[in-house]
């Protein structure tokens, strides 16, 4: 997948990462980039960063939707291989940027963010 995010198997993600979820929290969507993962729940965005050669060391970054100031999606053009998601967090000048494979529905990702950020 050349380092671009694609949809992850939701059943596998729910099994593997249920330990991270708060009471009443549910996984809405998950996207995989090589070994890393980002998980959209009904309460927050969880970024899973597997580190090192073996991937045994893992960082879990939890971003509550209320800390997202704004976001943008850039669709893949006619010759582009990717779409992008940009998220600006409170206290950060530069956005968090994630690249998606062009076949992924970037509009669904935008809709998920809009649903939870614009509450």
């Amino acid at each position: 997948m050349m380092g671009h995010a694609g949809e992850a198997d939701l059943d596998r993600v729910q099994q593997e990462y249920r330990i991270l979820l708060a009471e009443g929290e549910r996984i809405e969507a998950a996207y995989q980039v090589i070994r890393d993962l980002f998980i959209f729940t009904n309460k927050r965005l969880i970024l899973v960063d597997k580190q090192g050669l073996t991937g045994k060391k893992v960082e879990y970054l939890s971003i509550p939707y209320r800390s997202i100031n704004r976001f943008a999606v850039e669709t893949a053009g006619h010759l582009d291989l990717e779409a992008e998601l940009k998220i600006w967090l409170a206290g950060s000048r530069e956005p968090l940027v994630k690249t998606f494979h062009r076949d992924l529905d970037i509009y669904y990702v935008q809709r998920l963010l809009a649903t939870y950020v614009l509450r």
Side-chain angles (χ1 to χ4, degrees):
M1 287 186 27
M2 298 174 50
H4 305 310
E7 283 186 77
D9 179 349
L10 207 50
D11 289 334
R12 181 191 62 79
V13 172
Q14 297 218 27
Q15 270 302 99
E16 190 172 339
Y17 296 99
R18 70 178 181 265
I19 194 167
L20 298 176
L21 302 179
E23 188 173 324
E25 187 174 18
R26 67 184 179 282
I27 296 174
E28 300 287 335
Y31 300 95
Q32 185 123 20
V33 182
I34 305 174
R35 295 187 310 176
D36 297 341
L37 193 69
F38 46 110
I39 302 169
F40 290 87
T41 78
N42 60 320
K43 298 182 182 279
R44 61 189 161 147
L45 176 60
I46 302 170
L47 302 180
V48 180
D49 179 14
K50 293 187 178 182
Q51 303 170 2
L53 292 175
T54 64
K56 287 188 178 191
K57 181 177 179 180
V58 182
E59 176 184 70
Y60 303 97
L61 177 63
S62 180
I63 303 170
Y65 291 122
R66 69 181 176 278
S67 70
I68 298 174
N69 289 334
R70 64 186 192 264
F71 57 91
V73 294
E74 183 178 305
T75 61
H78 186 63
L79 299 175
D80 293 331
L81 295 176
E82 68 225 12
E84 282 187 347
L85 168 66
K86 297 177 184 174
I87 300 172
W88 285 264
L89 303 174
S92 296
R93 295 184 70 161
E94 297 298 318
L96 174 68
V97 179
K98 294 294 179 181
T99 304
F100 291 82
H101 190 272
R102 73 172 298 133
D103 294 335
L104 187 120
D105 185 359
I106 194 71
Y107 295 106
Y108 179 72
V109 174
Q110 190 280 150
R111 208 167 29 255
L112 272 173
L113 277 172
T115 298
Y116 294 113
V117 172
L118 302 176
R119 285 186 172 181

